[in-house]
């Protein structure tokens, strides 16, 4: 399956941990379905059943010795499976694909947060994603401390789910990631839209919808 066969739209939701982007993705999916659109929702790291197995390695707090390069390659292993198995076929079928995180997460967390730099991330992206770039990326922004407080509260509510390895990184890691999101939005203003996440979910959803509806209009006119 090649990226040139795509007819659908690819929208990614990004943002710091605890920004509320997953809630926003669910609300957006419902709204799009309500408009009669076929929607595929995915989340990274994970998505496909194989990707979910990779996710367990990545997020298990027991895996403290995971090296930055291993972390990077596992993120892309899950993504490559997701792109081939789910995303490209759905786009070829004309669906709207929503992904909770994609390569921008790797740019900010592994590229900036871990200090691996953007070039290595972009190189592996070319292999794993076959040139697939989102049509629109909504970055739900929140200050690092409030986001992490929400993420930690969520982890406490789910004691059986061992998924906190990355949330538990030092605060500097998360500060670097958030700053990198801001730089990304400045560098690619047509694709990456920053949306303030510090409001009621319905209010944030309306902000998200402004950008999505504008994409849908321009896709319909194209
Ligand atoms: P998850 O439990 O899915 O939380 P969230 O709701 O914040 O997305 O955890 C995903 C974690 O993995 C999150 O801390 C961000 C991190 N991550 C990376 O470091 N690189 C990546 O490429 C991706 C997709 C996620």
């Amino acid at each position: 399956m090649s990226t040139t066969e795509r007819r659908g739209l690819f929208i990614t939701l990004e943002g710091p941990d605890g920004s509320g982007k997953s809630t926003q993705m669910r609300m957006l999916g419902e709204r799009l379905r309500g408009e009669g659109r076929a929607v595929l929702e995915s989340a990274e790291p994970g998505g496909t059943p194989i990707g979910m197995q990779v996710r367990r390695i990545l997020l298990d707090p027991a895996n403290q010795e995971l090296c930055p390069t291993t972390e990077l390659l596992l993120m892309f292993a899950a993504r490559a499976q997701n792109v081939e198995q789910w995303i490209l076929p759905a786009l070829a079928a004309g669906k709207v694909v929503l992904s909770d995180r994609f390569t921008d997460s790797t740019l900010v967390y592994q590229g900036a947060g871990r200090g691996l730099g953007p070039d290595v991330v972009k190189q592996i992206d070319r292999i794993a994603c076959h040139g697939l770039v989102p049509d629109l990326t909504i970055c739900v922004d929140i200050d690092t401390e409030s986001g992490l407080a929400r993420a930690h509260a969520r982890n406490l509510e789910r004691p059986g789910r061992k998924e906190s390895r990355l949330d538990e990184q030092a605060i500097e890691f998360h500060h670097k990631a958030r700053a990198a999101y801001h730089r990304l939005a400045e560098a690619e203003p047509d694709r990456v839209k920053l949306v303030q996440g510090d409001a009621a979910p319905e209010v944030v959803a309306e902000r998200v919808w402004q950008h999505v509806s504008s994409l849908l209009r321009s896709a319909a006119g194209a």
Side-chain angles (χ1 to χ4, degrees):
M1 181 76 52
S2 99
T3 50
T4 53
E5 290 172 40
R6 51 187 294 203
R7 290 186 287 123
L9 288 171
F10 184 32
I11 301 173
T12 58
L13 276 288
E14 292 280 353
D17 293 52
S19 62
K21 67 186 165 35
S22 309
T23 304
Q24 289 306 319
M25 194 177 90
R26 274 194 300 278
M27 294 171 84
L28 177 59
E30 275 170 29
R31 187 155 185 177
L32 287 165
R33 285 193 187 93
E35 296 214 333
R37 292 180 188 269
V39 178
L40 172 79
E41 288 179 43
S42 182
E44 294 199 356
T48 64
I50 290 172
M52 289 305 284
Q53 295 180 51
V54 178
R55 174 183 175 93
R56 276 195 283 283
I57 303 172
L58 278 163
L59 301 188
D60 188 342
N63 291 337
Q64 290 300 318
E65 70 272 33
L66 201 74
C67 312
T69 306
T70 315
E71 184 176 284
L72 171 75
L73 292 170
L74 287 176
M75 291 293 177
F76 273 114
R79 185 166 304 133
Q81 186 68 30
N82 210 5
V83 167
E84 298 248 3
Q85 191 182 342
W86 277 6
I87 301 178
L88 292 182
L91 290 175
K95 294 185 183 174
V96 179
V97 176
L98 303 179
S99 185
D100 184 342
R101 301 193 178 282
F102 197 66
T103 295
D104 294 315
S105 281
T106 319
L107 276 169
V108 311
Y109 286 97
Q110 282 66 50
R114 296 286 187 225
L116 294 175
D119 294 344
V120 65
V121 177
K122 287 178 183 167
Q123 265 174 1
I124 304 173
D125 178 79
R126 274 194 289 278
I127 299 167
C129 303
H130 311 290
L132 178 66
V133 177
D135 297 293
L136 172 67
T137 295
I138 304 285
C139 178
V140 182
D141 192 32
I142 190 152
D143 75 86
T144 309
E145 286 74 12
S146 316
L148 283 179
R150 278 200 210 169
H152 291 154
R154 181 186 59 191
N155 292 340
L156 288 176
E157 282 166 16
R158 308 172 185 162
R161 275 177 77 172
K162 297 193 173 65
E163 295 206 327
S164 57
R165 191 182 65 87
L166 282 155
D167 302 335
E168 286 169 3
Q169 298 298 309
I171 189 95
E172 297 79 58
F173 173 75
H174 293 283
H175 279 305
K176 283 185 198 162
R178 181 172 183 231
Y181 272 130
H182 287 194
R183 287 199 298 276
L184 207 59
E186 271 169 36
E188 293 187 60
D190 291 340
R191 176 177 71 88
V192 183
K193 309 291 183 188
L194 270 192
V195 162
Q196 294 311 314
D198 56 351
E202 295 70 26
V203 175
V204 180
E206 218 30 63
R207 295 173 185 162
V208 171
W209 185 251
Q210 295 307 313
H211 295 299
V212 173
S213 53
S214 144
L215 172 70
L216 295 174
R217 275 196 304 277
S218 59

